Amino acid sequence: MREPGFRTDGTWVGADVPRREDPRLLAGRGRFVDDITLPRMLHAAFVRSTEAHALLTSVDLSEVRGVPGVVAAFDAAGLGLADITALLDRPAEEFTPTSMPVLARDKVRYVGEPVAVVLATDPYAAEDGVEAAVVDYEPLDPVVTETAALAAAGAPVHDEAPGNVLVDVSLFATEGIDAVFDAAHTVVSVEARTGRQNALPLETRGVVADWDDRDEQLLVRTCTQVPHQVRTVLARCAGLDEKQVRVTVPDMGGGFGQKCVVGREEIAAAAAARRLRRPVKWIEDRREALTASFLAREQHYTARAAFDADGAILALEADVVCDMGAYSCYPFTAGIEPLMASAEMPGVYRVPAYRVRGRAVTTNKAPTAPYRGVSRPQYVMVMERLMERAARSLGLDALDVRRRNLITEFPYRGINNITYDPGSYLESLDLCERVLRDEGWHRHTEPGRVVGIGYSCFSERTGYGSGAFAQRKMQVVPGFDLSQITMDLDGTVSVTTGTLSHGQSHETTFAQIVADRLGVPYDKVKIVQGDTDRITYGWGSFASRSVTIGGSAASAAAVKLGDQLRALAAHLAGVDVDTCELDGRGGVRAADRTLPFTELAEVAYLRSHLLPKDVGPGLTATASFDVGGDGTFSNATHGCVVALDPGTGGVEILRYVCVEDCGVAIHPRVVEGQARGGIAQGIAGALFEEVLYDEAGQPLAPSFMEYKVPTAAEIPDVRIEHLETPCAFTANGAKGAGEGGTIGAPAAVLNAVNDALRGTGVELDSTPIPRHAIFAALAPHEEAS
Amino acid sequence: MTDVQLVELTVNSERHELAIPPRRTLADVLRHDLGLTGTHVGCEHGICGACTVLVDGRPARACLLFAAQVENAEIRTVESLAGPDGELSDLQRCFGEHHGLQCGFCTPGFLMLAEGFLAEEPGATREEIREVVASNLCRCTGYQTVVDAVDDCASRRRASLQAALDTAGSTR
């Protein structure tokens, strides 16, 4: 490992430098939101709906206010906040606007929906207060499944959407596609369901807010991936100027998308702090996190694909229904999952004809947010099942069918009107297969168990620019990122980013990028993130955008500052600026001498009379970046070996190989960490985790006893191989690496299970893969032998 | 208001006198009464292990204990691992070197779990380590690098013990 200092060989980018985040986190000296305690701080707890669907007839908090320690309690009328509303710029037949009240008003739409907030001097008393609330309901028939939602038999979840459909888009519909299906040699179909999941950051959501009279500002410390969006929504809900709200983000214990939408509780707690003029803390407990936070992933696919006799895909058609729960999330709306699936389902394959219908239905379940991968784990799984099924039907090797269809010439303009930048789709498949073959897994057997191998090929659009989101017709269009860089008197540098690390090591990787651009030591670059007063505007971290977009902005700002330093050196040395260059060691070479940054900074700050007439004091530069065109595509192939136990239906993963290509890896070890962690979450979705509800809409997995998060006993070691196709559109050649692991894993695991079941006549297409289905498939087989 | 009880706790070799309600958990007392916020709370029902501390040397879930229950025990938290000058311990350094942490929220729990386990089983195999690591939840790493870190720390401790024995042997 390279020690901090000036670079002597190569560059900081690409080196596994020690993480800047580690010392404090390892020592237990990080600062997470629940670590913050303020004088006179109150603790919030929420009265939550016990009904899935009901009219709210009365909320009586009088007993609550008498509980020892309770200071105040508010219902919706008491706080008087405006609703949270997220919109798409789509016509009425495609999108039905709904809004989410901060506290339920008139009606509740899921078990766990916040109805009132109780403020007390300690969290125990706040929970005592919650128990004293008396809420009366007039129950309505709950809409619990997507089938019930589409049947629209009873009271709708939202009156604005009588059919319970919030988004309904039909896209692409290639001319003549029906004739292609009619004439095709082979048509295969897949019907798949994927279970509802919880992104499950280990740190639950939380906030500490207080009104500062000196700054005339509501200071909100909250664990969010999107601080500026929280500021905007809070300002709107509470009728404040944006300047009257400052959102800062302490250390965060993961997010995975659940924290990239604005939560109702953070708004309510902040509003209570302002009302009471006392600090308020709210820390979500695990039961709330499992039942009443934001969920994801519950989708239903009906898909078919036409192939010729040689295995070339001719057409793809899909109907995708996403169960988005009770509310549209801000800023993405309920369109997040169906729009992603519809836009990108053809994936890594050359699909000549495509038709898709994507719908978001609303049900009486906790609302959804983007979760790592957003729809891609699902549609990749369906595409990979179609490939496998076609291979079986045609009597071809499934990898050869993939090879026949993989995009190999770039840039490739897809049927979905997206241009793919160069990747290593075929190369990653070849390498993944070779690794598993060389390790002997294609011949592997296990006594008493059935072994199977599965693969998945996919790409992952990352670094969505504003153009890509505008194409989705989001009214709030994320995309750009801004960076401001400042060099201080001593030659050290700080750089702001609107992206926000919550485990992804931005303090490290952004410092590597800037250190290279300026030629300053890595440990002399400080990254400033998560503070709406210090960062002009930003979109936070999601969709693997941080290094791609934020890193490019930081890079561009550093280049601008470098130009300022060169110009200043040229002036002081009396030479032409074109002859001056950064020396990579903290100085500028100007003709026959070198001016250290410290000397230039001294002029910029302390001896400004020496500056050129048209140059102001200080050393600071701002730059923005927005990925042009359709963004950039990371890609990977995953291969996985499973052993099935006929006695229990259990699945053990014996080997997992990931060949990934995220362009230039700024910090390879961090990239590997992202891949491994993502794969673990993908395996979790394939085999273990599901948020289930009973027919009354009561959540059945309110604790870790029921919601089975895999441990080190279930998650295998993962071998990772890197390919590198540098990206031409980003400043550093990086393409993004946050989500890929999660995207590829369910398909690889499902295909491996199906490979093991080959010969039983059973094919499984849904996740989490039911153990009983494996048991049933293997049981007669077992008896016969 | 709930009754208050006088409780004496020994945490990281320091004695503390507290007046707390009997229902107050050890995790809350450590974090909010003593300001030792390195111990994290991830589930409050004993599954995730983020709150793991050592009670008389053994890993325990601080969220499942009342502070009043452990009056006569020696409690150790993650804050005890680094030296007085802040220098990280060998175990902590191994986590850093193997990228055994990302967001770092679960890390104090894994560190204390491993600290307690390795003290008892210094000769643990990688498989035994994996089994113990399976006591706690991590949502970022996929566990592999956590197992690597603990395994490497165990190997290094064994190697340095062996080296010390060899030196002692050769000087005799």
Side-chain angles (χ1 to χ4, degrees), chain A residues 485-488 492-494 514 518 555-567 582 597 618-622:
Chain A
I485 192 168
T486 301
M487 180 173 280
D488 286 325
T492 62
V493 172
S494 62
V514 170
L518 275 178
S555 190
V559 168
K560 269 193 180 175
L561 180 65
D563 289 344
Q564 281 181 29
L565 290 163
R566 286 173 49 238
L582 303 182
F597 290 165
L619 285 171
T620 189
T622 302

Side-chain angles (χ1 to χ4, degrees), chain A residues 327-567:
Chain A
Y327 292 103
S328 226
C329 62
Y330 187 95
F332 300 97
T333 80
I336 179 78
E337 288 193 2
L339 293 174
M340 172 72 91
S342 305
E344 315 215 347
M345 185 162 175
V348 286
Y349 299 113
R350 288 189 308 265
V351 175
Y354 178 44
R355 178 164 62 203
V356 65
R357 182 181 187 191
R359 278 175 285 179
V361 301
T362 178
T363 54
N364 293 120
K365 294 187 282 199
T368 47
Y371 170 27
R372 198 175 196 174
V374 183
S375 288
R376 290 169 287 191
Q378 289 84 9
Y379 76 66
V380 166
M381 197 176 96
V382 173
M383 285 302 288
E384 295 298 288
R385 291 303 303 143
L386 288 168
M387 288 292 156
E388 292 276 329
R389 196 152 284 174
R392 280 198 197 189
S393 176
L394 293 164
L396 299 172
D397 178 88
L399 294 187
D400 287 342
V401 171
R402 289 185 177 84
R403 287 189 179 98
R404 177 153 211 105
N405 291 295
L406 283 172
I407 299 164
T408 50
E409 283 173 24
F410 299 95
Y412 176 82
R413 179 78 173 167
I415 189 76
N416 46 354
N417 296 330
I418 294 171
T419 301
Y420 297 60
D421 63 337
S424 52
Y425 300 174
L426 188 59
E427 295 82 351
S428 65
L429 173 58
D430 289 345
L431 179 55
C432 192
E433 190 199 11
R434 192 159 70 240
V435 167
L436 281 173
R437 274 195 195 288
D438 290 350
E439 288 186 356
W441 292 104
H442 281 261
R443 298 181 305 277
H444 185 79
T445 56
E446 288 268 310
R449 296 200 293 179
V450 192
V451 175
I453 298 187
Y455 291 88
S456 68
C457 300
F458 64 95
S459 67
E460 168 200 7
R461 177 144 63 139
T462 61
Y464 288 79
S466 51
F469 282 118
Q471 213 174 29
R472 300 255 174 98
K473 300 186 179 157
M474 286 177 67
Q475 197 181 66
V476 173
V477 180
F480 71 83
D481 204 74
L482 277 170
S483 244
Q484 185 175 53
I485 192 168
T486 301
M487 180 173 280
D488 286 325
L489 183 56
D490 56 3
T492 62
V493 172
S494 62
V495 57
T496 70
T497 174
T499 67
L500 184 67
S501 185
H502 42 290
Q504 301 94 331
S505 325
H506 296 176
E507 289 166 55
T508 301
T509 52
F510 280 59
Q512 289 175 278
I513 289 169
V514 170
D516 273 354
R517 283 285 177 265
L518 275 178
V520 292
Y522 156 72
D523 60 343
K524 297 296 182 193
V525 181
K526 178 183 168 59
I527 305 303
V528 178
Q529 54 185 345
D531 185 340
T532 58
D533 266 15
R534 295 179 71 183
I535 296 146
T536 316
Y537 206 80
W539 291 104
S541 284
F542 54 86
S544 306
R545 68 186 299 277
S546 299
V547 157
T548 330
I549 298 177
S552 293
S555 190
V559 168
K560 269 193 180 175
L561 180 65
D563 289 344
Q564 281 181 29
L565 290 163
R566 286 173 49 238

Side-chain angles (χ1 to χ4, degrees), chain A residues 35-278:
Chain A
D35 300 344
I36 298 166
T37 298
L38 300 174
R40 297 188 76 237
M41 186 169 78
L42 297 174
H43 298 262
F46 286 86
V47 177
R48 295 182 180 275
S49 172
T50 55
E51 298 290 320
H53 197 191
L55 300 177
L56 206 48
T57 47
S58 87
V59 179
D60 181 356
L61 302 174
S62 51
E63 294 287 314
V64 176
R65 297 188 180 103
V67 170
V70 170
V71 171
F74 302 104
D75 62 7
L79 276 188
L81 298 167
D83 291 354
I84 301 171
T85 307
L87 297 174
L88 294 174
D89 273 333
R90 286 185 179 270
E93 61 270 25
E94 289 187 345
F95 176 68
T96 305
T98 53
S99 57
M100 178 164 73
V102 175
L103 294 173
R105 185 192 308 120
D106 309 328
K107 189 176 176 181
V108 290
R109 296 183 174 86
Y110 61 95
V111 173
E113 174 155 14
V115 170
V117 58
V118 177
L119 293 310
T121 50
D122 84 76
Y124 294 65
E127 291 196 24
D128 291 343
V130 165
E131 292 195 1
V134 181
V135 183
D136 287 329
Y137 304 94
E138 187 181 317
L140 301 166
D141 283 341
V143 181
V144 184
T145 63
E146 126 260 332
T147 320
L150 290 173
V157 178
H158 292 271
D159 290 342
E160 303 91 313
N164 295 316
V165 176
L166 299 183
V167 175
D168 187 350
V169 294
S170 292
L171 299 172
F172 307 115
T174 313
E175 208 178 318
I177 188 169
D178 289 312
V180 177
F181 272 106
D182 290 344
H185 177 276
T186 294
V187 175
V188 292
S189 59
V190 164
E191 176 137 0
R193 278 180 177 282
T194 55
R196 202 170 192 79
Q197 266 188 280
N198 192 310
L200 212 114
L202 207 55
E203 180 205 33
T204 56
R205 298 178 301 149
V207 58
V208 175
D210 69 313
W211 177 265
D212 186 314
D213 276 313
R214 185 164 177 268
D215 289 339
E216 295 180 346
Q217 208 178 31
L218 191 51
L219 174 53
V220 184
R221 305 151 186 90
T222 183
C223 50
T224 182
Q225 296 168 235
V226 288
H228 283 89
Q229 283 64 57
V230 173
R231 179 178 81 176
T232 295
V233 170
L234 176 54
R236 284 181 191 169
C237 287
L240 296 168
D241 298 341
E242 293 237 356
K243 278 280 164 284
Q244 289 179 292
V245 179
R246 178 181 185 186
V247 177
T248 66
V249 185
D251 280 324
M252 256 172 84
F256 315 117
Q258 189 173 83
K259 299 173 182 171
C260 83
V261 298
V262 180
R264 320 159 77 162
E265 294 89 346
E266 57 196 339
I267 304 298
R274 178 169 183 252
R275 172 72 72 87
L276 298 169
R277 293 291 205 274
R278 284 180 74 165

